[in-house]
Structures are given as C-alpha cells and as structure tokens.
Amino acid sequence: MNIQEKGRIRSQMGDALAELSPRDGGILSAELVRRLCTWLGSEHRTIATFAALRDEPCLLKLHDLLPVAALCYPRVVGSGLHFYEVSDPTSLAPASFGIREPVPGRHPEVSFSEIDVFLCPGLAFDLRGVRLGRGKGFYDRALSDARTDALFVGVSLALQILGKLPAEAHDVHMNFLATEEGVLPCGDG
C-alpha cells in the first residue's frame, strides 16, 4: 500500500474540513445525529460512540435522543482501545492525543462482547466501507475483537465520502456509513 497516497488523502481531508465553519459543522452534525438516531431506533442497546475532535462530527446529542441506550466511549490503553459506559459526557477528561476519554473508576468498563454498534470516526470513507483513520490503527485493532454480529458504522460528513480509498489486508471495513444525508449500506460493488 502506498503510504504517500494515504498521507495525501489525510492532508486533503484536513484542508477540506478546516474550511468548514464551526456553525456549519454544528448544523451538519445535528442533522447527522438526527438521521443516525432515526436509523438506530431503539433496538441497539449498547453503542460505542466517540468524543469528537475539532474536525469530526459531534455526537453528544445521542445522549438526549437515545436515552435508553448505553453509550460507551473509547479510552486509549497502550496500543488498544477499551470502552466505558458514560451517562454524562461532561465527565470525560482530556487524555491521549487531545481526545476526551472516560476515567476508569468513574465509568464502568464494557466488554467488546456487549457492544451492538460501533460508531467509528475517520478522515475519509468509501462506499465499500473502507475507512481511512489517522494512521495509528486503534480502531482496526479494536474492531477485530468485536462480536461477529456487531455493526460498524463509519461516521463522517458527506464531503468525506470518496470514490475509492486504498485498503490493506488489516483494514476493518464498515457495514454502514452515516452522514448528514443519511445512513447507507456498504458493499464491495
């Protein structure tokens, strides 16, 4: 795989997202969350989400719109991710890479076998379900430990959906993509 190509795409997406005003990003995030909640319904009880970085869609409204769901946030532990149930996202603390994370002892850890849906951030996705993250491999390693029936949902703005991304054998593909335009199934087509 061409590392330079991935770096070029990361840079291109970073530039495109930097042009988005905070106001517009907030409007698009709100629409994304609304559509995602409609799609999720109430059948999924345990959902892994994430605390957004500046250039990622904000999903905090999930707490208001999915009150019966257990929402779990990742915490970097060594080279992996552990997930913790968080009822109040204001209790997350700044940690690795500037990401707000759960605090062990304050938030109960949730095993991968309990998680029904993983909402995954990324810099870019394609309709085959290929996800381009930030290059550290945390989500690829974590998702390889998930239940076989768990759903993987790539979460991004529509401008982050590209034609065809480079993929490697270790990349875990998404089952669905969620944007402000709706939730789409992924496939190999």
Side-chain angles (χ1 to χ4, degrees), residues 50-68:
F50 57 90
L53 292 173
R54 180 190 55 77
D55 59 356
E56 294 172 339
C58 179
L59 305 181
L60 294 179
K61 285 290 184 192
L62 290 174
H63 286 271
D64 297 331
L65 298 172
L66 296 174
V68 297

Side-chain angles (χ1 to χ4, degrees), residues 80-115:
L81 296 178
H82 291 213
F83 287 85
Y84 297 81
E85 185 175 347
V86 175
S87 58
D88 177 7
T90 64
S91 66
L92 297 169
S96 304
F97 309 106
I99 300 170
R100 291 170 295 137
E101 296 182 345
V103 178
R106 188 184 307 166
H107 302 106
E109 188 165 0
V110 176
S111 74
F112 283 92
S113 64
E114 296 177 68
I115 300 173

Side-chain angles (χ1 to χ4, degrees), residues 71-85:
L71 296 175
C72 306
Y73 287 78
R75 177 176 177 81
V76 175
V77 178
S79 63
L81 296 178
H82 291 213
F83 287 85
Y84 297 81
E85 185 175 347

Side-chain angles (χ1 to χ4, degrees), residues 5 8 14 17 25 48 61 65 98 105-106 108 144 152 164 170:
E5 177 68 5
R8 185 190 64 72
L17 292 166
K61 285 290 184 192
L65 298 172
R106 188 184 307 166
S144 67
F152 304 153
K164 186 174 182 180
H170 68 269

Side-chain angles (χ1 to χ4, degrees), residues 1 4 9 19 27-28 45 52 54 59 92 98 108 111 127 135 139 162 179 184 189:
M1 168 64 273
Q4 290 176 331
I9 296 168
E19 291 180 18
I27 291 168
L28 295 173
R45 295 291 178 197
R54 180 190 55 77
L59 305 181
L92 297 169
S111 74
L127 292 176
Y139 273 88
L162 302 179
T179 74
L184 301 170

